[in-house]
Amino acid sequence: MGAVSWDQVAELLWHAVGTKAMAKSGRAGIPIEWRVCPSAGGLHPIHIICIPQTATEGIRLYDPNSHAFDFLAVSENKVIETQNEFLMSVIGSVTGCTLLFVADVKKIDAAYEHGMTLTWRNAGAIISTLCLCAEWLGLGACPLGFNGDRILAELPYPLERFTGMGGVFITS
């Protein structure tokens, strides 16, 4: 396992979850998007937080519409420390980048009854698509068997609206 560059992470995310087209209104009057990775009603309620192995690189939110990274104003050391504890206990390495999934529960619930079941399916579709694209790009990808709520508690996402949905660890 080896480190990955931000260019490699960006290329992976573009192919797997980048927005290809949008419409201003879809199900329940909510904007919809078309991506390689499917989502219930085209709502795509899952955000991807990119957590590198060191705090000097910054915690980033992937914006699939503009294909850019936004830096999150958080205690990077605490987020990375929490992430690394988990990674060491599960895969024994922290050399790479964690792609943490954070779901906007209110968004999916506005359009569907029992929306969480659809959100978990969306997370599974993202995991599958990321892993296939990573292989194609010559990267390693390991789905992480956790919801990420311990890490999410350190991020600027109110827990009454957002929930952790797992993630994928990327290496070279």
Side-chain angles (χ1 to χ4, degrees), residues 110-124:
Y112 292 100
E113 205 173 300
H114 309 294
M116 249 343 242
T117 62
L118 296 171
T119 306
W120 280 110
R121 291 176 193 160
N122 288 352

Side-chain angles (χ1 to χ4, degrees), residues 40-128:
L43 297 178
H44 298 280
I46 297 177
H47 303 259
I48 298 181
I49 309 297
C50 305
I51 307 171
Q53 64 190 50
T54 63
T56 60
E57 299 178 64
I59 310 297
R60 303 172 188 204
L61 169 66
Y62 178 67
D63 180 347
N65 297 321
S66 63
H67 183 55
F69 292 109
D70 297 320
F71 286 93
L72 295 179
V74 297
S75 171
E76 295 168 353
N77 289 328
K78 182 65 175 161
V79 172
I80 290 170
E81 178 184 313
T82 303
Q83 167 204 245
N84 289 351
E85 285 175 17
F86 174 77
L87 291 175
M88 288 305 293
S89 70
V90 175
I91 60 176
S93 175
V94 295
T95 305
C97 181
T98 298
L99 305 177
L100 177 68
F101 304 164
V102 178
D104 185 341
V105 177
K106 299 291 185 194
K107 183 176 185 179
I108 199 78
D109 284 346
Y112 292 100
E113 205 173 300
H114 309 294
M116 249 343 242
T117 62
L118 296 171
T119 306
W120 280 110
R121 291 176 193 160
N122 288 352
I126 293 171
I127 288 170
S128 300

